Structures are given as C-alpha cells and as structure tokens.
Amino acid sequence: VGPKFSMAPEMRRDASEADGIPADIYSFSKTLWIALTGQLKGFDGQYSANSVLALKRYLQSTYTTTLDQLLTECTDN
C-alpha cells in the first residue's frame, strides 16, 4: 500500500476499505515534500506552512506559498 512515511492514514487502518484516489493524493503530496526538501523520511499528519516542516525552511530562496497551500489541502483529513 505504500512506504510508511508517505502512506495515507486510511491505508494504514484498512486498505481494503479505503478510497484509493484521496489516499494517492495524500501519498503524492508527502512524496513531493520529500523530493523538495531532500529529507529521507516524511512527516506524520497534515502539512502546515507554520511548522518546522515548512518548505520555506528548506527552500529559502523559493516562493513556496502555492506549494504550501497545495500540501496543506492534499494532506487534510
């Protein structure tokens, strides 16, 4: 069902009953964060641009507001 650090919570709980489309969006957004930040592990829960996970921490010379909004919406339960 996917790597631990990018797996949607519903896939961890009961993959056979979960809706795969929202789970894929969630997993893709976590994978995108990993690719953009260069971190080997993802994070639990919803992304927040006001946390230590913020893209601006890793991409200091890049405009990240649109990506922040995307990651927030895609990881919203």
Side-chain angles (χ1 to χ4, degrees):
V1 290
K4 177 182 176 184
F5 295 108
S6 64
M7 188 184 313
E10 61 270 24
M11 297 306 268
R12 290 183 194 171
R13 286 190 300 271
D14 190 4
S16 64
E17 297 294 321
D19 184 350
I21 294 173
D24 286 346
I25 292 169
Y26 183 93
S27 294
F28 177 75
S29 64
K30 295 281 185 127
T31 303
L32 178 62
W33 181 88
I34 291 168
L36 290 170
T37 63
Q39 298 300 299
L40 297 177
K41 297 180 180 178
F43 56 91
D44 286 330
Q46 185 176 11
Y47 173 82
S48 172
N50 298 319
S51 72
V52 296
L53 303 171
L55 289 176
K56 63 186 170 194
R57 179 175 174 215
Y58 300 94
L59 307 170
Q60 296 168 354
S61 62
T62 304
Y63 173 79
T64 62
T65 302
T66 304
L67 286 169
D68 289 329
Q69 292 170 341
L70 177 73
L71 291 174
T72 300
E73 290 178 23
C74 290
T75 59
D76 186 14
N77 291 327

